[in-house]
Amino acid sequence: MCLGYRFEAEGNVIAISGDTVPCPGLERLAEGADLLVQVCFLATPEINNEHFRKLAKYTIACGDTVGEVAAKAGVKKLALTITVPTPMMPCWTRCSRMPGKTIRVPS
């Protein structure tokens, strides 16, 4: 189950979705949106193990899959949230310095 929010005002539409994969609900949510904010996880070519395959199939769409959903729904702009941090990403460096936090990056 995933929650999504659609805000419509003065002819503008912002759609926001959490963790999900393509489904009729996401398609309805995104239909004609000026902006779709969508959680995604990796890109399809980066999926290299069974854990990631299951996530992409049942839980969190891949970035390129979200792009396909947005294009099909006629979304004008797409903002992707959540990516898997890698040691080279600046966010990984900042997060790894947080006291009391343990961050594991899947290999």
Side-chain angles (χ1 to χ4, degrees):
M1 174 188 239
C2 173
L3 293 178
Y5 302 92
R6 184 176 171 100
F7 301 95
E8 299 181 17
E10 300 178 11
N12 297 301
V13 177
I14 297 174
I16 303 170
S17 179
D19 296 357
T20 190
V21 293
C23 64
L26 178 59
E27 293 168 5
R28 284 192 309 274
L29 179 79
E31 187 64 37
D34 294 287
L35 172 64
L36 171 61
V37 180
Q38 175 67 52
V39 174
C40 71
F41 183 75
L42 300 173
T44 300
E46 295 176 292
I47 295 175
N48 59 8
N49 65 48
E50 189 59 25
H51 175 71
F52 288 166
R53 277 187 277 287
K54 286 181 180 178
L55 281 174
K57 184 173 182 179
Y58 300 110
T59 307
I60 306 174
C62 294
D64 48 319
T65 303
V66 173
E68 292 168 5
V69 169
K72 182 179 175 185
V75 170
K76 293 177 184 154
K77 291 185 180 180
L78 174 62
L80 301 176
T81 63
I82 296 185
T83 56
V84 174
T86 64
M88 300 306 290
M89 292 176 68
C91 68
W92 167 257
T93 303
R94 286 193 305 273
C95 292
S96 65
R97 293 184 188 142
M98 295 172 67
K101 301 293 180 190
T102 301
I103 301 170
R104 291 182 26 194
V105 177
S107 56

